[in-house]
């Protein structure tokens, strides 16, 4: 048994859902803590007015009784309040009455950089909306809810995970001005975020197969977040410019390291140092001053779709990246320690720490 996460939901559909399987029984969850993480994701300078409309809150449909996990699938739901404006346009069933509200008119103007063109070609859609709704970063809300649960499990094992922004639009501080300038130019910005995990014990992940490698899993999880185009573990790309004598983390008695250029992972296995990963986000592809495109209805040159969007969502990415890293670390911990029940998992953790302490 491992941890597994399945999500569903369109940006302006009725709701987003997540099903989490493999959680140990007996984990105490706190609704306020999950909602606080959902709230953090909605903050940040440069978000769209959509964030004032939504006040994301988790609803639990299964897997929890009186605040404690049952060891059965945990079903989470986050409603899209904006759906009330899209009741015709995003109705799961053939809507009654004349087309009305948002989403009533088909979109035929694909945005360069978004899922629009690849999505309609791949799935045979006529309306670009059928692709963009799921590709939207809106559904990162349920990644955050799942990540919040994972952080609660990790905290039982003494592991803490925190994401932060390193830069937005090339600015390492004072990025509000850069965001204001981009907004004034009807443009968008990307940036870089970092996630650090402290207290991670050695032995998460494995070199045994490519799929087991913790760095590969973290990279896939981060790259799976909308608009992420680059991932780095530890000193990542900078290590390519170094000699081996300078690039590695020498080992001292007590098995301590003199540095942490590997970002806490060697050969796909955590080594007990802080885990450090970074993700680079491209500028968002919905521009108020649209890029050149083609109208799919006519084949003629046209301007891409303009629709309400964020100028920058890098601060939100820091929260989402934290969530997916937490999920992957919890999954690796669950595999290392087993545990249908949290009490078994903690006992295995203590026994393992004791075994490696005596090395
Ligand atoms: C998004 C477009 C915007 C963002 C959205 C992601 O949505 P809307 O078109 O409804 O204003 O605000 O992000 C969220 C709604 C969210 O909750 O993060 C996109 O196209 O990816």
């Amino acid at each position: 048994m491992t941890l597994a996460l399945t999500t569903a939901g369109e940006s302006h559909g009725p709701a987003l859902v997540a099903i989490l399987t493999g959680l140990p029984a007996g984990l105490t969850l706190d609704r306020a803590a999950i909602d606080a993480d959902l709230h953090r994701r909605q903050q940040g300078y440069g978000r769209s007015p959509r964030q004032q409309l939504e006040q994301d809150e988790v609803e639990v449909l299964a897997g929890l009784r009186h605040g404690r996990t049952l060891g059965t699938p945990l079903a989470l739901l986050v409603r899209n309040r904006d759906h009330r404006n899209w009741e015709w346009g995003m109705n799961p069933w053939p809507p009654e009455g004349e087309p009305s509200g948002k989403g009533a008119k088909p979109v035929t103007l694909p945005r360069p950089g978004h899922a629009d063109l690849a999505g309609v070609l791949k799935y045979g859609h006529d309306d670009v909306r059928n692709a963009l709704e799921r590709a939207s970063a809106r559904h990162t809300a349920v990644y955050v809810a799942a990540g919040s649960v994972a952080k609660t499990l990790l905290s039982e094992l003494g592991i803490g995970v925190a994401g932060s922004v390193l830069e937005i639009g090339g600015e390492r501080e004072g990025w509000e001005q850069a965001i204001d300038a981009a907004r004034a130019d009807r443009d968008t910005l990307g940036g870089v975020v970092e996630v650090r995990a402290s207290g991670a014990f050695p032995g998460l992940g494995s070199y045994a197969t490519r799929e087991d490698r913790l760095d590969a899993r973290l990279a896939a999880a981060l790259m799976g977040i909308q608009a992420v185009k680059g991932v780095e573990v530890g000193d990542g790309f900078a290590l390519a410019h170094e000699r081996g004598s300078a690039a590695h983390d020498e080992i001292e008695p007590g098995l301590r390291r003199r540095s942490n250029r590997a970002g806490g992972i060697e050969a796909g296995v955590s080594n007990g140092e802080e885990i450090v990963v970074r993700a680079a986000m491209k500028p968002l592809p919905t521009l108020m001053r649209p890029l050149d495109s083609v109208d799919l209805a006519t084949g003629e040159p046209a301007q891409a779709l303009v629709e309400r969007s964020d100028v920058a969502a890098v601060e939100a990415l820091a929260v989402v990246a934290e969530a997916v890293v937490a999920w992957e670390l919890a999954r690796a911990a669950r595999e290392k320690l087993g545990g249908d029940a949290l009490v078994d998992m903690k006992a295995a953790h203590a026994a393992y720490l004791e075994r490696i302490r005596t090395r």
Side-chain angles (χ1 to χ4, degrees), residues 11-12 41-42 47-51 54 56 82 86 111 114 132 135-141 226 284 286 307-310 316:
S11 181
H12 305 100
R41 192 197 68 93
Q42 295 195 273
R47 300 304 307 278
S48 105
R50 172 86 186 264
Q51 300 309 327
E54 304 291 347
D56 291 340
D82 199 18
W86 297 73
R111 290 159 294 176
H114 215 289
L132 72 85
S136 162
R138 168 72 190 152
H139 93 264
T140 59
Q226 286 80 351
L284 301 176
T286 308
E307 124 161 340
R308 179 185 64 188
S309 187
D310 308 302

Side-chain angles (χ1 to χ4, degrees), residues 113-290:
H114 215 289
D116 303 353
L117 182 55
V120 294
L121 294 177
K122 179 175 169 69
Y123 292 98
H125 296 311
D126 294 325
D127 185 348
V128 168
R129 182 156 303 286
N130 287 341
L132 72 85
E133 281 284 330
R134 176 62 180 165
S136 162
R138 168 72 190 152
H139 93 264
T140 59
V142 283
Y143 289 164
V144 169
S148 192
V149 172
K151 285 194 296 177
T152 303
L153 175 56
L154 291 171
S155 73
E156 294 282 348
L157 306 173
I159 301 171
V161 186
S164 63
V165 174
L166 293 187
E167 56 182 86
I168 300 178
E171 302 290 337
R172 293 189 80 91
E173 49 197 68
W175 48 65
E176 282 87 352
Q177 277 172 312
I179 292 171
D180 286 341
R183 189 196 306 276
D185 290 341
R186 294 180 293 148
D187 218 325
T188 59
L189 295 176
V192 181
V193 303
E194 181 174 85
V195 182
R196 290 175 174 262
S198 59
F201 53 83
L204 294 170
S206 173
Y207 46 77
T209 70
R210 180 164 62 87
E211 292 77 16
D212 289 330
R213 286 181 175 253
L214 185 64
D215 44 6
R217 292 172 174 208
L218 293 174
L222 290 166
M223 197 63 94
I225 303 171
Q226 286 80 351
V228 170
K229 293 298 266 184
V231 175
E232 183 170 70
V233 179
D235 285 353
F237 279 78
L239 292 174
H241 310 142
E242 306 265 4
R243 287 188 166 191
S245 53
H248 298 291
D249 307 312
E250 288 184 294
I251 305 170
E252 295 179 340
L255 305 186
R256 277 187 294 272
R257 301 301 182 113
R258 291 206 182 118
S259 55
N260 184 24
R261 307 208 61 194
I265 303 175
E266 291 169 311
V269 188
S270 65
N271 63 10
E273 300 298 310
E274 191 176 36
I275 291 174
V276 184
V277 290
R278 284 181 277 275
M281 185 184 215
K282 68 185 178 184
L284 301 176
T286 308
L287 274 65
M288 295 303 125
R289 186 170 55 188

